Amino acid sequence: MTVPRALVNRLRAARHLLILTGSGVSAASGIPTFRAAGTGLWARFRPDELATPEAFARDPALVWQWYCWRRDLVNAAEPNAAHHAIAELQRRLSRVTLVTQNVDGLHQRAGSSDVIEFHGNIHRNRCPQHGVINLDREPRDKPPPCPDCGDNLRPDVVWFGETIPEQSLSASLAAASDCDLMLIAGTASVVYPAAGLAELAKANGAWLIEANTETTPLSAMADCELRGSAADSLPAVIQALDGA
Ligand code: BV8
């Protein structure tokens, strides 16, 4: 993959790089993208209909089993070259903010630090009243009760219709308002407010790079498009940085 010289120069001169990732970055790890997370036995369900408080209230066991299935996929997966290239960018550039919409924790396993988990993390469970609860053993058929109040525990993720945790939202908005370069990788850019970060960065004069296998609603405003798998394009960016 050819990496534009303009992109290499921008990376080398960047004061503050903001990176926003979506499920396409984890695709090469064998984790179905969010829109495709209704595969196999879950094919008859739409992910954006399961990832809601209403679905959990209506059928907590079904939603809990879907998350157990997704946790199994994530636990069996390894970070891929895209995750490692992003961790390398964090090590090389003076200031990088990494915001992920993914809940799989693969950026951390690839060595990334200070990851803003915009939509939470599938490996944590929480009680709506008592916060994150660590369990020694986890049932698979239905959500376990909170040890303090008996309410159903739920995955510590942000469902549709729920607000983004305040600290994650404010840190991400601040980075989008301050960055001079933004890389948007592996996201369809249709879920808000995450997708709005690129619009905010652009409005503040940042140069936008989109790394995606397809065009998205963001593509029209991107200054540079890396068309292809992030598992190929992002390592190519690192190699280009090493070059002359
Ligand atoms: C909010 C966690 C304020 C759970 C996720 C009605 C009521 C309330 C809100 C709304 C409403 N209608 C609309 C909204 C707003 C809503 C929204 O944006 N809806 C969309 C569908 C229109 N947003 C919200 O609800 C948010 N909260 O607005 O709060 C509020 C509150 C109350 C009332 C009003 C407002 C919360 C949204 C968070 C939802 N939770 N995840 C879980 O994971 O189980 S979102 C989910 O989508 C994942 O996090 C995922 O990361 C994210 C985005 O999807 P993508 O990552 O883009 O994945 P997708 O499959 O779509 O695309 C993959 C992309 O990768 C593609 O472009 C593909 O081409 C590319 N790709 C594939 N392979 C590769 C690749 N690219 C590179 N390399 C590859 N190899």
Side-chain angles (χ1 to χ4, degrees):
M1 168 172 288
T2 310
V3 176
R5 170 59 52 191
L7 168 52
V8 176
N9 294 340
R10 290 272 177 171
L11 278 170
R12 285 178 174 157
R15 174 182 51 79
H16 180 186
L17 168 66
L18 169 58
I19 302 174
L20 173 67
T21 63
S23 57
V25 159
S26 294
S29 296
I31 298 173
T33 60
F34 189 73
R35 295 286 168 284
T39 57
L41 64 96
W42 295 96
R44 65 186 189 281
F45 298 99
R46 279 193 33 197
D48 51 3
E49 287 172 347
L50 284 174
T52 68
E54 294 77 15
F56 188 65
R58 187 171 52 247
D59 192 342
L62 176 75
V63 173
W64 182 263
Q65 288 159 24
W66 182 53
Y67 279 92
C68 286
W69 173 71
R70 289 175 62 194
R71 279 185 184 132
D72 291 348
L73 287 177
V74 170
N75 289 334
E78 292 297 328
N80 65 65
H83 296 106
H84 289 296
I86 286 168
E88 182 63 20
L89 283 173
Q90 279 191 296
R91 286 187 285 269
R92 292 191 185 206
L93 272 65
S94 56
R95 188 171 174 212
V96 178
T97 301
L98 173 56
V99 179
T100 187
Q101 299 173 89
N102 301 337
V103 296
D104 56 32
L106 289 182
H107 283 300
Q108 292 92 323
R109 284 176 55 195
S112 277
S113 55
D114 305 320
V115 182
I116 298 176
E117 297 179 314
F118 207 68
H119 293 154
N121 186 308
I122 200 171
H123 297 292
R124 294 192 300 264
N125 294 307
R126 67 177 157 88
C127 165
Q129 274 73 36
H130 296 95
V132 173
I133 304 278
N134 295 313
L135 296 172
D136 297 335
R137 258 183 31 75
E138 208 168 78
R140 300 185 61 82
D141 57 336
K142 62 184 187 315
C146 168
D148 298 328
C149 68
D151 275 1
N152 281 336
L153 295 189
R154 53 164 287 175
D156 187 26
V157 299
V158 181
W159 281 330
F160 288 98
E162 294 185 324
T163 51
I164 307 302
E166 182 44 46
Q167 195 174 351
S168 297
L169 182 61
S170 52
S172 303
L173 291 172
S177 304
D178 178 69
C179 69
D180 56 333
L181 190 60
M182 182 173 181
L183 166 64
I184 303 98
T187 180
S189 289
V190 296
V191 173
Y192 282 80
L197 295 173
E199 293 158 14
L200 178 57
K202 185 76 178 180
N204 286 289
W207 207 73
L208 301 190
I209 309 152
E210 181 179 44
N212 199 309
T213 45
E214 298 161 2
T215 55
T216 72
L218 174 81
S219 303
M221 75 166 81
D223 299 287
C224 175
E225 289 186 22
L226 297 171
R227 187 65 65 238
S229 171
D232 299 325
S233 64
L234 300 189
V237 167
I238 298 296
Q239 283 156 8
L241 275 177
D242 288 338

